[in-house]
Amino acid sequence: AQTVTQSQPEMSVQEAETVTLSCTYDTSESDYYLFWYKQPPSRQMILVIRQEAYKQQNATENRFSVNFQKAAKSFSLKISDSQLGDAAMYFCAYREGAQKLVFGQGTRLTINP
Amino acid sequence: NAGVMQNPRHLVRRRGQEARLRCSPMKGHSHVYWYRQLPEEGLKFMVYLQKENIIDESGMPKERFSAEFPKEGPSILRIQQVVRGDSAAYFCASSPLGANVLTFGAGSRLTVL
């Protein structure tokens, strides 16, 4: 079965600085999707960014970008110019089959003012 | 577009009672997914449904749990004879046919006393 591992239970960063959250996954598939979701204290799951495995170019959404290393099965999230509103749990997810998502354990990100 | 609507947001049950959680997908979405989040963990897939059909229930416990998505009305996740270990946040997500991204609801938090 596919697995997703987030090795950093907690991370903190100073406001306006850059932070990178790590994610690795295990799969034998060649075509798949990867996602980062944000879960603030409201518990709402919010899609941050997604990456198609067949695309070599790293996805970018404003201050959020990924470093997708397919051979290494690594999918890290970089948050630039961190803002207080970025504080949340961040979950990496792999799409398995027809829309079934496999989530990592999460990384709690704290932003220090 | 109201998004994915889940209710109740909070539900308290005593051991042995039944819990019913409802999910109305986004307008135009024909696929519904249920996930469970235990404290301090990522979301775990439970079941994937289309209207009147269960497509994948591989993550659903074999006993006491059932799900339906009738032709009319919301999807229902039903937990019979709840136990303390059922205490968790239950998230519903929906998507249209062929979409790559799920839209999540705000979750229903079940507490079993």
Side-chain angles (χ1 to χ4, degrees):
Chain A
Q2 284 83 351
T3 57
V4 177
T5 302
Q6 293 178 249
S7 58
Q8 307 154 315
E10 296 182 353
M11 291 283 284
S12 63
V13 64
Q14 289 295 128
E15 191 176 3
E17 296 192 346
T18 295
V19 64
T20 298
L21 309 183
S22 301
C23 173
T24 58
Y25 58 94
D26 183 27
T27 184
S28 57
E29 302 292 326
S30 59
D31 191 15
Y32 48 87
Y33 290 79
L34 295 163
F35 305 86
W36 278 98
Y37 279 89
K38 169 184 177 181
Q39 187 178 43
S42 66
R43 289 192 292 114
Q44 177 79 47
M45 292 293 287
I46 302 166
L47 178 66
V48 174
I49 200 167
R50 67 174 175 174
Q51 174 80 42
E52 293 91 337
Y54 64 86
K55 289 187 178 178
Q56 293 186 338
Q57 185 173 7
N58 289 324
T60 299
E61 289 287 341
N62 300 313
R63 297 183 295 106
F64 299 86
S65 61
V66 299
N67 183 3
F68 174 47
Q69 302 288 330
K70 190 172 184 179
K73 298 179 183 175
S74 170
F75 182 60
S76 60
L77 174 69
K78 184 171 84 171
I79 306 174
S80 304
D81 185 24
S82 298
Q83 300 175 1
L84 294 177
D86 295 334
M89 285 290 289
Y90 285 81
F91 291 97
C92 178
Y94 165 98
R95 193 189 88 173
E96 173 184 301
Q99 300 291 340
K100 184 165 68 175
L101 292 172
V102 178
F103 285 87
Q105 307 92 315
T107 297
R108 184 179 303 280
L109 178 64
T110 302
I111 312 295
N112 300 315
Chain B
N1 198 334
V4 179
M5 304 302 293
Q6 290 189 248
N7 66 81
R9 290 295 309 276
H10 301 275
L11 182 63
V12 179
R13 285 288 179 264
R14 297 191 179 280
R15 281 179 295 171
Q17 292 183 320
E18 178 178 287
R20 286 193 181 215
L21 308 177
R22 290 176 291 277
C23 170
S24 296
M26 283 186 71
K27 187 176 181 180
H29 288 194
S30 54
H31 299 235
V32 165
Y33 313 80
W34 285 94
Y35 287 79
R36 177 165 64 176
Q37 185 179 31
L38 296 172
E40 304 303 318
E41 293 187 12
L43 279 69
K44 296 287 196 301
F45 170 80
M46 298 182 74
V47 62
Y48 163 36
L49 310 104
Q50 295 176 17
K51 286 281 187 182
E52 300 184 283
N53 280 311
I54 296 175
I55 306 301
D56 182 348
E57 56 181 349
S58 57
M60 194 89 103
K62 293 291 186 285
E63 297 179 350
R64 303 187 298 108
F65 285 72
S66 63
E68 63 177 9
F69 188 17
K71 187 176 180 181
E72 301 291 337
S75 175
I76 306 254
L77 178 66
R78 181 184 179 202
I79 311 171
Q80 295 178 289
Q81 300 175 336
V82 295
V83 300
R84 288 217 174 108
D86 297 333
S87 295
Y90 292 83
F91 286 89
C92 172
S94 72
S95 73
L97 179 65
N100 296 320
V101 179
L102 307 185
T103 302
F104 281 86
S108 292
R109 180 173 293 281
L110 172 65
T111 301
V112 179
L113 303 178

